[in-house]
């Protein structure tokens, strides 16, 4: 056992004295030591129930013959951090989580791990850590929130942000906004649409790192507690069979996850996190090859904000496995990938059934023949940009309009709510990328303001920042290279015509190469927005969005 390094032999007598201080018995010292990485806290609604999940995992581990030991991981609530300086600290926590978990797991020589995350950066951060540490590891999330109900219709957090935009447009009263405020987030759990947290928890199933239901069983269901107990038992079986994360998170598994991503219509943030996870296992994930998968993968689900269904509906329809079974029937998955069950993907999904063809469209009736995400390239984004194609109004799939240029999110929001953005405009928000932000803020406030003002089917938004999974509309993010390093988005001027063609994967600035070269010669880097602390260190190390905003290491140029 790996933990023998701190438990067995005369040289380890001092170590054993410290385990004695922890109350370990002689019997426990002979058993495998399993780290339970708990993201529990009292500020994130998706994490407030994780103490119960952790206790259930501990029971499962103990029942299967292990010794569970809990240690923490941090998590930021993107909703609470949205629209102010706090959002600069969201994406950057992914790497803090990965680094600190690596430190704790290897410093204390755990034999195996159970990761208990739930929200946006927490899940990919722990997946990155699992790949680095490479001891048997199972994931079990806290589960999604139930949808709220307003006037007999299901609603979620994206509805809340759009209600604020509607209030600014004068189409909703303060009393109506207050009703939304009190009803759209009715339970604990990750917000109820196919936003980033739920996207990553579903893709954890697709990767093979979580048990069936990890992404969809609601947080408040007792079935979630059972799942956590089974996760604790499963990691002990993995330990016996020596199944490790790098046996599971292979190139083929990551491509499976990207395929499932396209079918589900996941958050654009998955195109930051899958490359970062791939990097940890030595797979150079170029976001542009997502279009090859996009072209052959049908979009089968339209969960909020793309449509009227929610995570609880996906769960009742058969969950991620039912979606994977549809894809497998079309020959779109690698069935031989290993999973935490000790079985292959093909074995896991063979009996899965689609129980609601309105929630999970069958192959002969997809929402579209192509996937939910697309990577656009052109002279405005030479290294690529990302759009949630499934959440774009059909009339905006091809669009051309004048640029309305803003150098920060706040200025754009003021213009939108001030009625200065009109039909046909292309809002450009720059210097908000990983380095320029720093931290690559999510743009849910401006996208929600656009939707709330009734401009969602006539106005596009382009940024080197990123979008919440709750964003909808022609919202194109991750523009690379970013403005802070002199990417073409830094050269856009007010009134320039921008052409968007999502079916053809093109994003073009209708300005000649000669004029762009002249503008480039005059361009000067901006002074850093942050000059102290962690954000300053992050800005000095981070790569552009097309690389997954990973941090530079000596082997990366």
């Amino acid at each position: 056992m790996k933990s023998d390094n701190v438990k067995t032999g005369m040289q380890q007598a001092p170590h054993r004295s410290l385990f004695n201080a922890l109350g370990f018995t002689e019997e426990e010292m002979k058993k495998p030591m399993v780290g339970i990485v708990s993201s529990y806290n009292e500020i994130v609604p998706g994490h407030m129930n994780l103490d119960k999940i952790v206790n259930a995992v501990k029971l499962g581990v103990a029942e299967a013959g292990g010794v569970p030991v809990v240690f923490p991981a941090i998590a930021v609530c993107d909703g609470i951090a949205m629209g102010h300086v706090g959002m600069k600290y969201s994406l950057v926590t992914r790497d803090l989580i990965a680094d600190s978990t690596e430190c704790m797991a290897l410093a204390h020589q755990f034999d195996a791990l159970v990761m208990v995350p739930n929200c946006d950066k927490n899940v990919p951060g722990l997946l990155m850590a699992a790949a680095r540490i490479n001891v048997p590891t199972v994931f079990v999330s806290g589960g999604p929130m139930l949808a709220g109900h307003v006037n007999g219709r299901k609603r979620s957090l994206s509805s809340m942000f759009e209600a604020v935009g509607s209030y600014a447009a004068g189409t909703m009263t303060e009393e109506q906004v207050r009703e939304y405020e009190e009803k759209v987030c009715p339970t604990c759990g990750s917000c109820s649409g196919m936003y980033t947290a739920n996207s990553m928890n579903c893709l954890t199933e697709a990767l093979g790192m979580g048990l069936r239901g990890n992404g969809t069983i609601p947080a408040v269901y007792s079935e979630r507690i059972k799942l956590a107990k089974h996760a604790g038992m499963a990691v002990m079986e993995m330990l016996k069979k020596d199944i490790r994360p790098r046996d599971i998170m292979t190139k083929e598994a990551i491509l499976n996850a990207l395929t499932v991503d396209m079918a589900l219509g996941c958050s654009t943030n998955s195109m930051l996190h899958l490359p970062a996870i791939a990097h940890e296992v030595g797979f150079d994930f170029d976001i542009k090859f997502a279009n090859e998968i996009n072209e052959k993968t049908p979009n089968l689900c339209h969960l909020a904000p793309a449509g009227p269904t929610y995570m609880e509906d996906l769960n009742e329809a058969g969950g991620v496995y039912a979606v994977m079974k549809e894809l497998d029937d079309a020959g779109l998955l690698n069935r031989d990938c290993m999973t935490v069950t000790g079985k292959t993907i093909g074995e896991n999904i063979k009996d899965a059934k689609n129980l609601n063809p309105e929630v999970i469209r069958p192959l002969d009736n997809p929402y579209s023949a192509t996937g939910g995400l697309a990577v656009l390239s052109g002279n405005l984004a030479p290294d690529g940009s990302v759009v949630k194609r499934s959440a774009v109004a059909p009339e905006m799939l091809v669009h051309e309009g004048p640029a309305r240029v803003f150098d920060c999110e706040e200025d754009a929001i003021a213009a939108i709510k001030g009625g200065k953005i009109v039909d046909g405009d292309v809002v450009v928000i720059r210097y908000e990328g990983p380095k320029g932000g720093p931290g690559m803020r999510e743009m849910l406030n401006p996208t929600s303001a656009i939707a709330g003002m009734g401009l969602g089917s006539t106005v596009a938004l382009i940024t080197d920042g990123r979008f919440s999974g709750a964003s909808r509309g022609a919202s194109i993010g991750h523009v690379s290279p970013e403005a802070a390093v002199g990417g073409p988005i830094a050269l856009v001027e007010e009134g320039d015509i921008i052409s968007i063609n999502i079916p053809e994967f093109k994003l073009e600035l209708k300005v000649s190469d000669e004029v762009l070269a002249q503008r480039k010669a005059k361009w000067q880097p901006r002074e850093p927005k942050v000059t102290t602390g962690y954000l300053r260190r992050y800005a000095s190390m981070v790569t552009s969005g097309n690389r997954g905003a990973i941090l530079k290491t000596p082997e990366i140029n």
Side-chain angles (χ1 to χ4, degrees):
M1 293 188 297
K2 191 180 185 75
S3 61
D4 285 343
N5 291 327
V6 293
K7 293 191 305 186
T8 303
M10 184 54 64
Q11 290 296 320
Q12 280 66 46
H15 305 72
R16 289 195 296 274
S17 71
L18 293 168
F19 282 108
N20 184 61
L22 290 168
F24 271 52
T25 65
E26 288 187 21
E27 292 81 3
E28 287 174 316
M29 293 291 285
K30 297 174 184 176
K31 296 178 180 179
M33 188 167 65
V34 180
I36 316 297
V37 186
S38 171
S39 303
Y40 169 77
N41 62 51
E42 295 182 344
I43 189 62
V44 183
H47 291 232
M48 62 183 285
N49 65 319
L50 295 191
D51 55 340
K52 297 176 178 61
I53 302 297
V54 167
N55 284 337
V57 171
K58 290 172 69 176
L59 286 171
V61 169
E63 184 173 331
V67 179
V69 181
V70 179
F71 65 89
I74 64 169
V76 165
C77 177
D78 277 24
I80 295 173
M82 192 72 64
H84 56 90
V85 68
M87 182 45 67
K88 293 179 184 291
Y89 287 91
S90 171
L91 177 60
V92 305
T93 64
R94 185 188 70 186
D95 296 273
L96 280 175
I97 291 162
D99 292 348
S100 59
T101 303
E102 174 191 355
C103 291
M104 287 292 290
L106 296 179
H108 301 102
Q109 293 291 285
F110 288 101
D111 297 299
L113 297 167
V114 180
M115 307 292 198
V116 187
N118 210 25
C119 289
D120 297 27
K121 314 309 163 304
N122 198 242
V123 182
L126 290 178
L127 284 165
M128 291 163 67
R132 291 183 199 172
I133 300 160
N134 203 35
V135 298
T137 303
V138 174
F139 277 66
V140 56
S141 76
M145 184 184 291
L146 293 178
H149 291 80
V150 181
N151 298 325
R153 296 180 62 186
K154 287 184 177 181
R155 297 293 189 185
S156 63
L157 184 65
S158 57
S159 310
M160 184 71 253
F161 278 89
E162 291 179 14
V164 174
S166 297
Y167 175 77
T171 58
M172 187 174 282
T173 66
E174 184 176 349
E175 289 74 21
Q176 289 172 319
V177 173
R178 180 61 60 87
E179 183 179 12
Y180 271 66
E181 184 179 328
E182 292 175 348
K183 294 181 177 179
V184 298
C185 295
T187 72
C188 63
S190 49
C191 297
S192 55
M194 187 53 81
Y195 310 146
T196 306
N198 293 326
S199 294
M200 293 310 302
N201 282 322
C202 287
L203 296 185
T204 298
E205 278 190 65
L207 277 171
M209 289 297 293
L211 298 176
R212 181 175 188 170
N214 178 70
T216 60
I217 298 170
V220 294
Y221 282 15
S222 298
E223 189 179 355
R224 174 66 55 179
I225 300 297
K226 296 179 183 178
L227 182 73
K229 292 176 182 176
H230 285 135
M233 298 175 195
V235 81
M236 296 303 296
E237 281 299 309
M238 290 179 71
L239 186 59
K240 291 176 185 175
K241 297 175 180 178
D242 195 29
I243 299 173
R244 300 168 182 254
R246 289 181 205 163
D247 300 324
I248 296 171
M249 290 192 285
T250 60
K251 174 182 177 180
E252 292 74 21
I254 290 168
L255 295 180
N256 275 349
L258 183 55
T259 301
V260 175
D261 186 321
M262 295 294 179
L264 285 172
C266 289
S267 163
T268 52
N269 281 313
S270 64
M271 294 301 288
L272 283 175
H273 302 320
L274 286 177
I277 294 162
H279 173 71
E280 297 293 344
V281 298
F283 169 32
D284 187 13
F285 185 111
D286 182 345
I287 65 169
K288 291 182 181 178
F289 67 58
N291 289 337
E292 181 181 339
I293 292 177
N294 173 294
E295 286 291 88
K296 63 184 180 182
T297 305
N299 177 225
L300 304 180
C301 300
H302 263 194
L303 287 93
T309 53
Y310 294 81
M311 295 305 297
E312 62 207 65
D313 303 312
L314 179 60
N315 187 63
E316 295 301 320
V320 176
Y321 275 25
V323 175
M324 294 177 74
K325 184 63 165 62
E326 293 281 358
L327 296 172
D328 184 53
D329 288 345
L332 294 174
L333 295 180
N334 187 312
R335 309 181 81 254
D336 297 327
C337 293
M338 180 51 62
T339 74
V340 294
T341 66
K343 299 178 181 178
T344 65
I345 286 288
E347 291 172 311
N348 283 346
I349 66 174
K350 63 182 177 66
D351 296 323
K353 291 181 173 59
N354 182 352
L355 302 176
N356 189 337
E358 295 302 314
V359 176
I360 304 171
R361 291 278 186 93
L363 290 170
D364 59 1
N365 184 35
Y367 282 100
S368 66
T370 53
L373 297 180
V375 175
L376 313 185
S377 302
N379 69 344
L380 186 52
D383 293 336
S385 61
V386 182
V387 63
K388 188 169 183 175
R389 180 177 183 164
S390 59
V392 178
E395 56 268 36
M396 289 297 289
L397 291 171
V398 178
H399 178 76
E400 194 168 285
R404 305 298 309 279
V405 183
F406 304 93
D407 287 351
C408 68
E409 176 189 5
E410 288 81 0
D411 290 350
I413 293 170
I416 295 164
K417 291 186 175 179
K420 296 179 181 179
I421 302 302
V422 299
D423 290 348
D425 282 348
V426 179
V427 176
V428 176
I429 305 177
R430 62 191 180 189
Y431 294 100
E432 290 284 8
K435 185 180 294 290
M440 203 178 187
R441 288 194 289 179
E442 287 185 342
M443 301 291 164
L444 180 56
N445 275 344
T447 58
S448 298
I450 287 170
M453 297 286 283
L455 299 170
S457 60
T458 59
V459 169
L461 195 156
I462 296 172
T463 181
D464 53 7
R466 60 195 179 92
F467 295 109
S468 165
S471 291
R472 62 186 176 97
S475 303
I476 301 166
H478 308 193
V479 171
S480 301
E482 62 174 292
V485 298
I489 192 171
L491 310 179
V492 181
E493 295 184 359
E494 188 80 7
D496 285 347
I497 300 300
I498 293 176
S499 173
I500 300 164
N501 191 319
I502 295 173
E504 294 185 8
F505 309 119
K506 292 180 180 178
L507 181 62
E508 296 282 348
L509 182 63
K510 296 295 187 177
V511 174
S512 70
D513 292 344
E514 292 76 17
V515 171
L516 285 178
Q518 292 169 9
R519 293 180 186 178
K520 178 68 173 179
K522 297 177 183 177
W523 178 83
Q524 294 292 325
R526 301 289 179 91
E527 288 295 319
K529 294 179 183 177
V530 178
T531 58
T532 61
Y534 178 61
L535 284 180
R536 179 59 182 147
R537 295 198 303 275
Y538 181 88
S540 71
M541 299 170 66
V542 72
T543 61
S544 279
N546 68 300
R547 300 291 303 278
I550 60 174
L551 300 184
K552 294 177 185 175
T553 58
E555 58 272 10
I556 296 178
N557 295 323

